[in-house]
Structure formats: C-alpha cells, structure tokens
Amino acid sequence: MRHSIPKFWRKREGYYQILLTRCKTCGRIAYFTYIKCPYCGSGDVELVRSSGRGVVEEYTISYYRIEGAEEYLPRIIALIKLSEGVKVTGELVDVDPSEVSEGMEVEAVLRILSSDDPHGLIYYGLKFTPIIKGS
Amino acid sequence: MRRVYVIGSALTKVGRHFNKGYKELASEVIDKAINESGLESVDLVIVANMLSDSILDQLDISTILMQNLGMTKVKALHIETGESSGLAALEVAWTAIKSETAEKVLIVGVEKATEYPTYKINKVYSKVLDYETESIRNITPPDYAALIMKAYLRKYGLKREDIAEWPVKMHENASRNPYAQLNFKVNHEKVLNSMIISDPIRLLDTFPIGDGAAAIVLASSKETGSSKAEPVELVHTSSAVSVQVHLRDDLTKLPATAAVVSDLRMKFNEKMINEAAIELHDSYSIYAYLLIEELGLAARGEAPKIINELEFINVSGGLKARGHPFGATGVYQVAELHKLMTSGLAGRRFDGKYAIAHSMSGPDYNARIALLQRVI
C-alpha cells in the first residue's frame, strides 16, 4: 500500500477539487486546506472553491525518478497562477513537453497519482491540462 | 553567560560505504573527535540523522547507537529537521551548554543513503516537502529548484550558461578535499551537457547520494580536556522557517535564509559576513547563487559575476561535490570550518576571524546558521 487509506480519505475534498484557504484576518488566500492561515497564523479562515483555471507561470520537465511514479516520466511540473490570483504547483498532463509554454491556459483535471498495482487501490488527485480554445 | 567552544572535530570521506553501517561510520568519527578534544567523557550526545526510520528501519537511533558503543552512561538525543538536521543538532547543543544543562556535548551527524537504489532514496528525500500537498502529488525538491532557477534566469535576463560556473568551482575545491565524494574536476561543457534532472537543473547542478559521518565536540570551557586543536568559539546559532514555494511572491528570494542572515547582521558587525569563511547549502547550484545574494555578498542578480572572487566559500566542495549525507551535512560543514580555521582543510588554512555554516531543508523550508569565531 503506497499511501494510508484514512490519510488519503480524510483529505479527499482537497484532493478532488481545488480548495483555497481565505484568511479573514490578513485577507490573503492560499492554495490548499490549511487549519490556520499559513501567512499570519490566524484560525479565522474559510475554505473557498477555486474555478480550477489558471495560467502557467513557470514549468519544468522532470526526469527525476521516484519510486511509485516511474511510469509518469517525464513529469511536467508547473507553477500555476489560478484565476483567483493564487499560485499552486501541479503536474501538467495531456500535453507534449515541447508544447508547454509560460502563459499557457490550463484547468484542473482528476487523474491517477499512483496505484497499488496490479490489483490494489488507485489514488486519484488533481493535475492540470491545457484549455483547448473554443471549448 | 557561558561561552561555547569547538574543541574537537572529525569527519569521514563522503561516499558509498557499502562495507560499513551507520554504527561503524559513527564510531570512527566519535573516537577521532573525542581524541582530538582530549576529553575522557561527555555529558550529552546529539545524533543528527534524517533517514533512520525510512532507510535504516531504526527508530530512536541515538539510544541504539549508545547501546552499541558502550556509552550507556551518557544522555542521548536524536534530532531531525530534514536536510538541516546537522545544524539543528548544533543549535540544541549550543542551547544546552548556554543554559548550563550540559558542559561537554558530542554531536554526531551520520547518514547511510546508499542502502537502496537511488529512486527509492529520491522518494524518501522528497518527503522533506509537505507530504499532503507536495510529495503525494509527485512534486520533488529538484522540481522546485528548477522552477526557482527559471524564475531567476528570467528576472535578470540571464542564460543557462551564465550560471554554470558554480559546479566547476565546487569540483575544483573538492578535488583537494580528501573527505569529498566527487573529487574530480569538471568544466562548463560537462556541466551543460550532463543529464537533465529537472530542466534546467542537470546532474552536475545537484549533489551526489552518499553516506557519511562527522562529529564535533563542544565544551563550556576552552581549557576543558587537553584539546589538541586550537579552540574556536561557537558564538551564534539561529534558525527560521519559511512558507511553501507556491505561497511565495518572489521565487528568487529565500525567506528563511533572509531571516537568519538578518538576525546575524543585527547581532554582529555587518562587514563580518564579507570577511568570513562560509560553507553554504548548495543542494542545487541555483541555490548557491541565491544564497550569495541573501548573504549580501552580491547584489540581486549579480552573483554570477562574482563567483570567482569568493575565495573561502565552500572550500570543502559544498553539497555539490563534497556530497550531501543529508542529516550529517550540517555537522560536516562545522567540522570542515573548524579544520579550516585550525589544522587546515583541503590544503588551505583560513586565518580570518569568522566562519559561517549555512544549512537549509528543501527549497529553504527551514534555514539554519552557525557562526564560529577564532579565539584570540
């Protein structure tokens, strides 16, 4: 088993949609479901659902081999600025590495992160895919 | 207030010690460091190690190590703060002596990173990031280094080849350091044509995986024991934590390092950093450039122009070429600086007053600093 089932299940909402933490004290918004604001430490926070759309700010094509994710090489890891103005790091899929560029519009999609092959659990999470113009 | 002195240090060559376990590696440096200090015993042992649970299948490594080395009359602790564990151990040891809860402290940094193939170590090492938001989604430390490097190149209008000098310099330094893992020289062409890890980070921009052990003996009095080395004072330790990479407004700044450097500047003479011998945490060569700028040795975006003017910076070869036995690295840095200020390291001796060790974990998720001062 690659991941603990309760650990994954507990965070399922944040893994299956992009939830942002909005701080009512300092006003900043951060990607992921934090208990307290990562900027100021205030516990007065609320979760906000992101549109899941954004643009690529920086990206890297990674050949760094890690156990359990060998089949996803190369990975395209991007820093994406969401339409809410918040940044998130994530993997880009359904695109050839040569076609990725800064400024490319992307949206979140649900994909396999890893699996307990051949007969075990499949762990899903969000990755990003280019938005096809006109769609 | 009590003062803290480094009265002994020892290190072993970083590399693939297939014939030695962590106990053998630790035992060797403990004996050497204690012997150099002239002490008969210590009050407290602090073990810095990052991978004991995941790679060595060992919890409570400090207890088990003491049991195996016949040191059951000594208090022992294990410290882990990711890649900066070594300097964290030093910070705790410094506090123990300053607070008069210990007089003589032995710090042992030990890591066995070659027990499994690299892809397994890569996976475990990636856990220095937040498992729930980063490593579970296959985001790794070199990926961040790559994003940060691209942001730096873009911000200052630089080309990839403009920042290929660091590995060349580090390999040159390591070629003279008997404790370095990669003691061969490289040139720009070799750096720029080495295998891509996370583009634009290439193999020769990164540290090698290796085992190692280093030890330091600290004491409250420089007259303690019959130290064979000149005493050096450990005058300051500090640390800070920063936010995750995706929460940063400017990727080219390292917030935790900025905080510890600012603390250092406030407490000591501003010029001291420019005159000090420095060992800094160049896990990826881009970090060396950013750290040089955070330390104020170069203006923002100017580090590539002054790399070759820096004489006593990573004399060891740095993480890049001396190697990076994770939890032991901070202990290596301090042991190397101690040698450099006393008996010499890599055929060189530093006669200046101050030496700085800087360590961090991941992309500056935490940063730690230690300041050594020659006792006049």
Side-chain angles (χ1 to χ4, degrees):
Chain A
M1 204 177 294
R2 294 200 191 280
H3 304 289
S4 141
I5 296 169
K7 206 149 71 179
F8 208 89
W9 173 81
R10 195 184 305 129
K11 290 281 175 191
R12 64 196 181 285
E13 283 204 319
Y15 289 149
Y16 299 156
Q17 58 188 326
I18 297 188
L19 290 179
L20 310 174
T21 304
R22 194 180 76 82
C23 178
K24 295 180 189 171
T25 304
C26 74
R28 295 200 71 168
I29 310 175
Y31 164 68
F32 211 62
T33 57
Y34 293 101
I35 301 159
K36 293 192 174 181
C37 172
Y39 291 109
C40 76
S42 166
D44 194 9
V45 294
E46 63 176 358
L47 295 181
V48 188
R49 193 175 166 176
S50 160
S51 68
R53 292 191 165 210
V55 294
V56 172
E57 272 207 351
E58 296 291 351
Y59 70 95
T60 176
I61 296 157
S62 181
Y63 297 86
Y64 193 66
R65 192 168 167 232
I66 47 172
E67 188 184 30
E70 295 94 330
E71 62 189 287
Y72 306 111
L73 285 178
R75 296 182 305 274
I76 309 169
I77 302 293
L79 185 66
I80 294 149
K81 191 165 193 172
L82 297 170
S83 56
E84 293 82 4
V86 180
K87 286 186 276 191
V88 51
T89 320
E91 196 175 339
L92 291 190
V93 291
D94 301 336
V95 60
D96 190 89
S98 64
E99 289 168 4
V100 183
S101 61
E102 288 84 8
M104 176 183 254
E105 290 180 47
V106 295
E107 66 183 346
V109 284
L110 196 63
R111 290 298 159 89
I112 294 173
L113 292 180
S114 56
S115 62
D116 296 330
D117 284 342
H119 305 298
L121 292 169
I122 299 172
Y123 304 91
Y124 288 92
L126 294 176
K127 297 185 181 182
F128 291 84
T129 182
I131 295 173
I132 299 159
K133 296 286 182 191
S135 68
Chain B
M1 198 190 245
R2 261 191 177 177
R3 292 176 181 270
V4 180
Y5 299 93
V6 182
I7 59 166
S9 65
L11 48 169
T12 198
K13 180 179 161 68
V14 183
R16 298 180 173 192
H17 295 279
F18 292 122
N19 59 338
K20 288 177 186 165
Y22 78 92
K23 293 169 188 170
E24 285 84 3
L25 290 175
S27 178
E28 287 174 15
V29 290
I30 290 172
D31 288 350
K32 281 186 196 161
I34 293 277
N35 182 45
E36 186 177 271
S37 76
L39 295 179
E40 298 284 317
S41 63
V42 293
D43 311 322
L44 171 66
V45 178
I46 305 182
V47 180
N49 169 279
M50 184 176 99
L51 300 172
S52 66
D53 180 9
S54 47
I55 298 302
L56 303 176
D57 297 304
Q58 187 61 66
L59 293 177
D60 196 10
I61 189 174
S62 56
T63 298
I64 305 298
L65 190 61
M66 294 302 99
Q67 287 178 336
N68 276 266
L69 300 182
M71 296 173 75
T72 51
K73 294 191 173 56
V74 184
K75 287 186 269 186
L77 285 177
H78 168 208
I79 299 280
E80 188 268 310
T81 62
E83 294 175 78
S84 71
S85 302
L87 281 197
L90 196 82
E91 201 177 335
V92 173
W94 187 77
T95 309
I97 294 176
K98 282 277 182 193
S99 65
E100 304 191 9
T101 53
E103 286 187 9
K104 298 166 283 181
V105 184
L106 168 71
I107 300 152
V108 189
V110 62
E111 204 70 81
K112 278 293 299 175
T114 66
E115 304 284 45
Y116 290 98
T118 302
Y119 68 92
K120 192 176 172 82
I121 302 300
N122 290 349
K123 172 80 178 177
V124 177
Y125 157 56
S126 295
K127 292 180 186 175
V128 298
L129 304 176
D130 181 0
Y131 172 80
E132 289 186 345
T133 63
E134 297 169 318
S135 38
I136 201 170
R137 297 193 298 125
N138 304 327
I139 296 163
T140 69
D143 299 339
Y144 277 142
L147 296 175
I148 289 170
M149 185 163 167
K150 286 181 89 171
Y152 183 79
L153 295 178
R154 185 189 321 282
K155 185 170 180 181
Y156 298 108
L158 297 166
K159 295 191 186 76
R160 174 63 187 85
E161 51 269 33
D162 295 333
I163 54 172
E165 182 62 19
W166 183 261
V168 177
K169 187 178 168 81
M170 289 303 101
H171 278 260
E172 173 75 37
N173 286 355
S175 70
R176 292 189 292 266
N177 178 6
Y179 306 112
Q181 181 169 4
L182 304 182
N183 46 16
F184 55 87
K185 294 181 187 178
V186 299
N187 56 28
H188 285 187
E189 201 182 7
K190 211 168 169 185
V191 171
L192 293 169
N193 291 321
S194 61
M195 191 171 76
I196 296 173
I197 301 295
S198 292
D199 184 55
I201 300 280
R202 288 173 180 263
L203 185 67
L204 286 173
D205 288 306
T206 73
F207 62 89
I209 301 281
D211 308 324
I216 298 159
V217 182
L218 299 182
S220 59
S221 162
K222 62 184 176 203
E223 280 81 37
T224 304
S226 56
S227 178
K228 294 178 180 68
E230 298 166 56
V232 167
E233 190 176 348
L234 175 62
V235 285
H236 174 79
T237 65
S238 178
S239 63
V241 173
S242 74
V243 294
Q244 288 171 272
V245 170
H246 68 274
L247 301 176
R248 296 180 188 171
D249 294 326
D250 184 347
L251 291 193
T252 67
K253 292 183 179 169
L254 301 172
T257 293
V260 291
V261 170
S262 153
D263 189 31
L264 193 66
R265 281 221 184 93
M266 265 183 2
K267 289 180 179 143
F268 298 88
N269 167 3
E270 185 107 353
K271 265 176 62 190
M272 176 270 291
I273 297 176
N274 298 62
E275 293 163 1
I278 300 173
E279 285 290 325
L280 53 76
H281 191 100
D282 56 332
S283 45
Y284 300 95
S285 50
I286 179 60
Y287 293 154
Y289 293 86
L290 299 185
L291 290 168
I292 285 164
E293 294 173 13
E294 291 294 356
L295 284 161
L297 300 174
R300 298 278 177 193
E302 302 283 316
K305 294 181 190 159
I306 60 124
I307 290 294
N308 282 321
E309 294 166 24
L310 302 167
E311 199 186 345
F312 283 99
I313 192 154
N314 285 11
V315 168
S316 68
L319 279 66
K320 170 70 227 55
R322 170 242 289 122
H324 181 24
F326 300 118
T329 298
V331 186
Y332 266 87
Q333 292 176 320
V334 176
E336 285 156 354
L337 291 170
H338 179 238
K339 297 276 180 241
L340 191 62
M341 292 176 94
T342 55
S343 55
L345 178 81
R348 296 163 82 183
R349 191 176 185 277
F350 178 67
D351 294 321
K353 193 174 176 189
Y354 291 106
I356 296 168
H358 163 277
S359 188
M360 63 186 194
S361 192
D364 188 62
Y365 278 12
N366 69 53
R368 296 175 195 279
I369 217 160
L371 177 65
L372 300 176
Q373 184 184 325
R374 182 180 300 287
V375 177
I376 301 161

